[in-house]
Amino acid sequence: MRRAVVTGTATVAGIVLLLSLKPHDGPGNSTVAKVISSGTSPSAAASAPSSPSTATGSGSSPAAAPSPSASAASRVVTGNAIDTRYGPVQVRVTLDSGKITKVDVLQYPAESHRDREINTYALPELNQEALAAQNARIDAVSGATYTSDGYTRSLQSALDQAGLT
């Protein structure tokens, strides 16, 4: 009798857990692209890449020119593309008077559904931490260790190119 109660309870708990799962975004949705850009400009989210770049690079990327709408004190610097176990990670940092105002993720692992799932939550978290810390000494996101490492290394290379440490 006791075994039947435990089995029934476990079955109900399993069904509740299954029903509480959220459906994932299909490949047609660009949820990751919408959330990987940080900052306050609404046009920045619209200019975020709709799909990740598959090119891998390990050399220095030149600093990008500021956009025409950027103020004279604003500067945009692209960090090195850092190869990770699951693919390259590269960030572009917008600086305003030496302060990080925006971080865009240009490249990130997105080959599999799991990569996209991880980066949907990890990249916005990393962007927020970078803006709060104003440097590359940020905590890794649990479950996204390789992406976090590539992100911080690319961010540090961008800050080094900008002359900030």
Side-chain angles (χ1 to χ4, degrees):
M1 181 69 179
R2 198 180 314 185
R3 206 177 306 168
V5 171
V6 171
T7 303
T9 304
T11 302
V12 169
I15 290 171
V16 168
L17 287 174
L18 284 174
L19 293 176
S20 67
L21 291 175
K22 294 181 184 178
H24 71 281
D25 290 334
N29 277 339
S30 61
T31 303
V32 173
K34 292 177 188 173
V35 296
I36 61 171
S37 177
S38 67
T40 57
S41 171
S43 63
S47 67
S50 60
S51 64
S53 172
T54 56
T56 56
S58 59
S60 296
S61 298
S67 64
S69 63
S71 67
S74 189
R75 184 172 171 200
V76 179
V77 183
T78 302
N80 294 342
I82 305 298
D83 288 324
T84 69
R85 180 177 179 177
Y86 297 103
V89 179
Q90 184 177 29
V91 300
R92 180 175 54 214
V93 180
T94 303
L95 303 163
D96 190 10
S97 301
K99 182 178 177 182
I100 300 172
T101 57
K102 181 179 170 189
V103 181
D104 294 311
V105 181
L106 304 177
Q107 294 184 60
Y108 53 90
E111 291 297 317
S112 71
H113 168 70
R114 183 70 177 139
D115 290 342
R116 291 185 298 274
E117 182 181 19
I118 288 170
N119 291 321
T120 297
Y121 75 87
L123 295 174
E125 181 81 21
L126 291 166
N127 285 340
Q128 287 179 345
E129 286 195 32
L131 288 173
Q134 291 295 304
N135 59 47
R137 291 182 297 273
I138 57 177
D139 291 334
V141 174
S142 179
T145 306
Y146 292 103
T147 298
S148 297
D149 180 55
Y151 182 98
T152 56
R153 290 172 51 201
S154 182
L155 178 60
Q156 185 62 56
S157 74
L159 295 175
D160 289 346
Q161 290 177 35
L164 304 173
T165 55

